[in-house]
Amino acid sequence: TMATLRRLVDLLTTWRINQLQLYMEHTFAYRGHEVVWRGASPMTGPQIEALDRYCRARGIELVPSQNCFGHMERWLKHRPYSKLAETDGSWTTPWGTTRDRPSTLCPLDPGSIKLVSSLLGQLLTHFSSRQVNVGCDETCELGQGRSGAACQRRDVGRVYVDYLLKVSREVRRRGRRMMFWSNSVLEHPEAVRRLPKDAIALIWGYEADHPFDRQCKLVRSAGLEFYV
């Protein structure tokens, strides 16, 4: 609820936290995409604007965080969007398990970036921040479906960055600066140098012994700013 979010902002204020990223997969009331958020208690534009004002009054930047590549299963399970999925069947996770529900947009399908453009176009107008986190993490299916031949021919990392560059153009076109979770691309060090130089890489790990030093150096060598 809005009351819960305001309590969270007040708590962050006492910790001198100066940025809050409002993470979304399917919980914004996008016009024309009602089938996705119906029943999910989505936030509306006016609610975000009210929260944005509440944050700014307390020295906190409210940053939109909308996944634009992976973690799209709540979209792809619906018929209007299923045709944009990378896979249409079972796929293997990095942990050796098998899943049969698609969660990643096909980076080669023109409809994928068209959908992303539509979402960013609606969402960003409600935030005063000039930054946006486009997610793009855990694209585990990449290369296991429709992009398989391209990934074999050009490498998974290159296919990933080619798509990320398209997302970056959509962000830049709206006067924003792109943030993205970098764990997927950091698995392909040779692709890091092709990342857009105005992007901010967000580096995180699953385990306590995550190689932060090595990854930070890799991202910095490519000329990017980063968060850890």
Side-chain angles (χ1 to χ4, degrees):
T1 65
M2 291 294 288
T4 303
L5 289 167
R6 286 192 293 268
R7 282 198 299 271
L8 173 63
V9 171
D10 290 342
L11 183 62
L12 295 178
T13 301
T14 69
W15 295 341
R16 299 300 186 265
I17 297 294
N18 62 10
Q19 187 179 110
L20 169 61
Q21 296 201 5
L22 196 61
Y23 177 81
M24 294 179 180
E25 291 182 3
H26 68 304
T27 49
F28 176 72
Y30 289 107
R31 297 183 307 277
H33 303 288
E34 289 78 7
V35 67
V36 175
W37 53 258
R38 186 178 294 119
S41 185
M43 291 194 73
T44 65
Q47 286 176 323
I48 286 178
E49 291 168 13
L51 184 62
D52 189 274
R53 290 192 296 271
Y54 195 83
C55 285
R56 276 187 285 130
R58 287 153 183 80
I60 294 177
E61 178 185 10
L62 184 68
V63 176
S65 179
Q66 170 62 61
N67 258 309
C68 296
F69 201 175
H71 288 288
M72 295 291 284
E73 55 267 27
R74 292 175 177 84
W75 292 78
L76 298 175
K77 70 179 182 178
H78 297 288
R79 183 167 294 177
Y81 311 95
S82 59
K83 62 184 179 182
L84 301 178
E86 165 71 10
T87 56
D88 183 18
S90 61
W91 53 279
T92 304
T93 72
W95 304 278
T97 58
T98 300
R99 297 182 184 176
D100 56 11
R101 178 178 290 184
S103 68
T104 300
L105 291 170
C106 175
L108 306 182
D109 194 319
S112 295
I113 199 65
K114 184 177 179 180
L115 172 63
V116 166
S117 178
S118 168
L119 302 187
L120 295 177
Q122 290 192 44
L123 181 65
L124 299 187
T125 58
H126 302 291
F127 291 82
S128 61
S129 173
R130 309 317 291 176
Q131 302 184 110
V132 53
N133 182 355
V134 297
C136 296
D137 62 316
E138 296 191 347
T139 53
C140 305
E141 293 142 273
L142 193 58
Q144 297 189 48
R146 298 166 61 193
S147 70
C151 288
Q152 286 186 355
R153 185 174 67 254
R154 291 155 48 199
D155 183 71
V156 174
R158 179 169 287 275
V159 171
Y160 177 95
V161 174
D162 285 347
Y163 178 78
L164 190 66
L165 288 169
K166 294 178 183 178
V167 177
S168 176
R169 284 194 289 272
E170 293 299 325
V171 170
R172 198 179 296 116
R173 188 160 66 89
R174 292 173 173 83
R176 263 54 173 203
R177 187 177 185 188
M178 183 180 78
M179 297 175 163
F180 70 102
W181 295 113
S182 60
N183 60 315
S184 290
V185 74
L186 288 175
E187 296 173 4
H188 308 274
E190 70 286 348
V192 172
R193 60 183 175 78
R194 297 184 58 238
L195 292 169
K197 297 299 184 279
D198 60 342
I200 299 175
L202 308 178
I203 304 174
W204 67 288
Y206 295 95
E207 309 295 344
D209 59 353
H210 189 79
F212 285 110
D213 285 352
R214 177 173 57 79
Q215 291 188 345
C216 290
K217 288 177 181 177
L218 178 61
V219 170
R220 174 53 86 190
S221 70
L224 272 70
E225 294 184 24
F226 59 87
Y227 286 18
V228 178

